[in-house]
Amino acid sequence: KQWARAPANGPVARPPPWAAPMDLEAAVEGFVTSGAAPDRQREGLELVRKLLQNIERNPSEAKFRQVKRTNPAIQSRLFPECVGLLVAAGFEDVGDLLLYRANPGPQLEEALAFTESLLLSLGGSAAAASSSSSSSTAPAPSAVAH
């Protein structure tokens, strides 16, 4: 990997945020401060939520435990801070794959809760995606009470 090689006499190269395990709060902070447009954030979070829910609902299905980073849909929707959320939820970065090898548990549940909270802060459900205002009157199908 190109970022893993630091120049001999130069500054140390920093790996991208998804390359090393991080705690969930740091991943959320990185996501919030990413500077991505709200629609882009919502799109990424919706995919993160779907990937995590697939594991939660089908823990023994191997197909839900790997994400091909070369998949065009993944490349277009997940920006680095989204990958950081997945790593913080328990995925491992293995080259072109993100693998979830752990048993689903509190870490996955907490990541899902943070993802839902971030989505709500962006205006709720996907139905509110076209709204540019910060308050939405569209009901969320699975709204979580604060």
Side-chain angles (χ1 to χ4, degrees):
K1 294 180 180 177
Q2 200 173 38
W3 54 263
R5 295 184 194 135
N9 295 325
V12 175
R14 287 181 28 167
W18 63 87
M22 61 173 42
D23 69 51
L24 191 53
E25 289 181 12
V28 169
E29 179 67 24
F31 183 88
V32 170
T33 60
S34 70
D39 286 347
R40 178 106 165 95
Q41 287 182 343
R42 187 177 298 105
E43 183 179 51
L45 284 172
E46 286 171 350
L47 183 54
V48 167
R49 176 177 58 185
K50 179 180 178 182
L51 294 170
L52 297 178
Q53 284 176 338
N54 283 343
I55 293 170
E56 181 184 55
R57 293 175 182 160
N58 307 287
S60 61
E61 290 282 338
K63 69 180 180 181
F64 295 130
R65 291 175 164 265
Q66 69 176 13
V67 177
K68 293 180 183 176
R69 295 174 67 155
T70 56
N71 178 318
I74 298 297
Q75 288 180 339
S76 70
R77 293 185 187 131
L78 292 185
F79 51 96
E81 290 78 10
C82 293
V83 176
L85 289 171
L86 290 171
V87 170
F91 276 88
E92 297 174 36
D93 184 358
V94 185
D96 287 341
L97 293 175
L98 293 170
L99 298 176
Y100 192 90
R101 296 178 181 164
N103 289 325
Q107 185 177 3
L108 180 72
E109 292 169 13
E110 186 178 11
L112 263 170
F114 270 111
T115 302
E116 290 289 342
S117 179
L118 287 167
L119 276 166
L120 287 171
S121 74
L122 288 170
S125 69
S130 62
S131 172
S132 61
S133 71
S134 60
S135 63
S136 173
T137 57
S142 61
V144 179
H146 291 316

